[in-house]
Amino acid sequence: MADAYIYDAVRSPRGKGRKDGSLHEVTAARLSAQILNALKERNGLEGHAVEDVIWGNATQVMEQGGCLARTAVLASDLDQRIPGLSINRFCASGMEAVNLAANQVAGGAGDGYIAGGVEMMGRVAMGSDGAAIAVDPSIAMNTYFVPQGISADIIATEYGFTRDQADELAVESQRRAKAAWDDNRFEKSVVTVKDQNGLPILDHDEYMRPNSDMQSMGSLNPAFQAMGEVMPGFDKVALMKYPHLEKINHIHHAGNSSGIVDGSAAVLVGSKEFGEKFDLKPRARIKATAKIGLDPTIMLTGPVPVTEHIMKSSGMKISDIDLFEVNEAFASVVLRFQQAFDVDPELVNVNGGSIAMGHPLGATGAIIIGTLLDEMERTDRETGLATLCVASGMGAATIIERV
């Protein structure tokens, strides 16, 4: 098996996923093309440079449908002989694209790949694809389906996390994100998005709310209490699955949950020979990848079992990891990860996360891999783990080590 290396990682800034967001005028294909072009230009990728573009996005309908990966290639400056593969593992789509690329390289199916993803949540609404697990009663009833926000509150109830703990994590995410931007820690990876005339329209993560504090968090009402307790009464579904719980403690709200945003990211993955061909120096080796399935009702605990799995398969211990990126889908997801492995919170999401900067579903997995690598280089750390929870009860993880 050949080693697979990361040669570069880029991302767009994350725009607010609504009509007044700075990226609202940009389609998924156009934003993807800008990110692909940035990777091409930064690394001198001429001709049929890579085997494929593997591109994740979670809501594959309308302008995000129709094999968006191929559309993005054709909209970019990449050679048209490069094909394109669209994939969907919900929130982990961007990470799964990178992991697939790494495993293709390791298996000898091509020397180089571009992998990543996109999600324009302000243009193509989450859930607009009508996922069968949510809308088909024969499946939803048998799996005890509940929305993700209810799942996050189930985690809080099951593992004893309080509203204050969740709010404290959210406030800290905002503080860390602001500190990272103030210190220019993202400058290596963030690519300014431009309009059709080449004029800049966004150069920073605009979702951030750096003035958030415990008082402002405390003023927010639980976002999922009504759908849990009143109509359609998802708490009753959850309690049928988990009868040992007396009631669901609804602690999550807009301030301690991930933000709805637009964004894209890409990672250049290749073999040693690929780097030599284009005179590129590898930044990290992809040491291990993993994915798992789990209980689809609690759904979002995936970072724990997938980390256990990747530790075992790679022969590593949690103490071997220097830095962690655990996607902040909801505060309880990160709290559960920290509780399960007793890791120092100072090593987890040190530059903030999706609560502060937003979670563009199909891109986030690639974003956090790039963020992890940048921080490992900045602080001279050797090994990092990135992981995400995934809708319908899955988890994904990637271990990288600097070279």
Side-chain angles (χ1 to χ4, degrees):
M1 300 290 283
D3 284 330
Y5 297 97
I6 294 176
Y7 285 94
D8 200 6
V10 298
R11 72 169 177 93
S12 73
R14 285 165 275 198
K16 295 177 183 177
R18 57 195 194 202
K19 291 183 179 180
D20 63 348
S22 295
L23 298 183
H24 186 69
E25 67 185 73
V26 185
T27 66
R30 289 297 177 187
L31 184 61
S32 299
Q34 287 200 32
I35 296 304
L36 294 176
N37 287 343
L39 208 58
K40 174 184 184 294
E41 293 164 8
R42 283 164 53 129
N43 297 281
L45 304 179
E46 298 299 330
H48 195 170
V50 295
E51 189 75 16
D52 205 352
V53 170
I54 306 177
W55 213 238
N57 65 292
T59 308
Q60 298 188 351
V61 294
M62 297 180 290
E63 62 192 48
Q64 289 187 171
C67 191
L68 177 60
R70 177 58 177 165
T71 305
V73 170
L74 295 175
S76 76
D77 297 331
L78 291 176
D79 193 300
Q80 68 178 4
R81 291 173 294 175
I82 299 169
L85 171 65
S86 288
I87 65 165
N88 185 355
R89 201 186 292 279
F90 298 124
C91 303
S93 297
M95 175 175 286
E96 189 62 30
V98 175
N99 291 352
L100 279 172
N103 292 327
Q104 291 283 84
V105 170
D111 283 334
Y113 285 78
I114 295 174
V118 68
E119 206 79 33
M120 305 305 289
M121 300 179 74
R123 296 179 62 90
V124 182
M126 179 172 53
S128 59
D129 52 349
I133 193 169
V135 303
D136 185 334
S138 67
I139 299 173
M141 291 175 67
N142 288 335
T143 58
Y144 295 88
F145 169 81
V146 299
Q148 289 186 40
I150 301 293
S151 297
D153 287 336
I154 295 172
I155 294 172
T157 307
E158 176 71 23
Y159 295 100
F161 303 126
T162 67
R163 167 76 179 256
D164 279 352
Q165 286 177 295
D167 288 355
E168 287 168 359
L169 186 145
V171 170
E172 180 64 8
S173 180
Q174 295 284 353
R175 187 196 69 78
R176 293 182 182 187
K178 182 180 186 302
W181 271 103
D182 288 348
D183 198 31
N184 295 320
R185 297 180 194 174
F186 300 130
E187 65 180 349
K188 183 183 292 186
S189 299
V190 172
V191 175
T192 298
V193 179
K194 299 179 180 179
D195 66 14
Q196 293 182 348
N197 297 315
L199 300 176
I201 57 177
L202 188 64
D203 62 2
H204 64 281
D205 292 323
E206 71 174 342
Y207 182 80
M208 291 166 52
R209 295 154 291 176
N211 294 324
S212 299
D213 56 23
M214 290 298 289
Q215 184 175 0
S216 62
M217 291 286 178
S219 69
L220 299 174
N221 293 323
F224 310 105
Q225 187 167 2
M227 72 169 64
E229 296 179 354
V230 187
M231 289 296 292
F234 283 110
D235 283 7
K236 293 181 179 179
V237 177
L239 293 174
M240 289 173 62
K241 185 73 171 285
Y242 313 112
H244 62 284
L245 301 177
E246 292 185 8
K247 61 173 293 187
I248 305 302
N249 183 20
H250 293 286
I251 70 166
H252 289 92
H253 51 75
N256 59 28
S257 306
S258 56
I260 293 174
V261 296
D262 303 324
S264 181
V267 179
L268 182 60
V269 178
S271 65
K272 179 182 178 182
E273 291 74 19
F274 176 83
E276 292 172 347
K277 178 180 179 180
F278 290 97
D279 194 25
L280 300 174
K281 182 179 179 180
R283 295 173 60 188
R285 181 171 75 94
I286 298 178
K287 183 177 178 65
T289 68
K291 63 272 187 185
I292 51 93
L294 63 135
D295 177 354
T297 305
I298 201 167
M299 190 187 312
L300 305 175
T301 55
V304 174
V306 79
T307 296
E308 293 171 341
H309 175 54
I310 202 170
M311 291 292 109
K312 182 177 181 180
S313 64
S314 62
M316 300 178 70
K317 305 184 296 294
I318 203 74
S319 58
D320 295 327
I321 306 297
D322 299 316
L323 285 174
F324 301 86
E325 282 289 324
V326 182
N327 185 42
E328 294 175 352
F330 298 89
S332 63
V333 174
V334 182
L335 290 170
R336 174 55 189 150
F337 182 90
Q338 293 174 170
Q339 179 191 65
F341 297 107
D342 193 27
V343 296
D344 184 352
E346 295 299 315
L347 301 179
V348 181
N349 303 342
V350 299
N351 292 312
S354 291
I355 288 174
M357 293 174 284
H359 176 19
L361 306 177
T364 302
I367 288 175
I368 66 173
I369 289 174
T371 299
L372 178 64
L373 177 54
D374 284 347
E375 184 63 15
M376 288 167 60
E377 291 175 341
R378 187 183 76 87
T379 57
D380 196 24
R381 306 296 181 98
E382 295 301 318
T383 306
L385 167 74
T387 182
L388 303 94
C389 61
V390 187
S392 300
M394 294 182 283
T398 307
I399 295 175
I400 62 175
E401 61 180 13
R402 288 176 59 207
V403 295

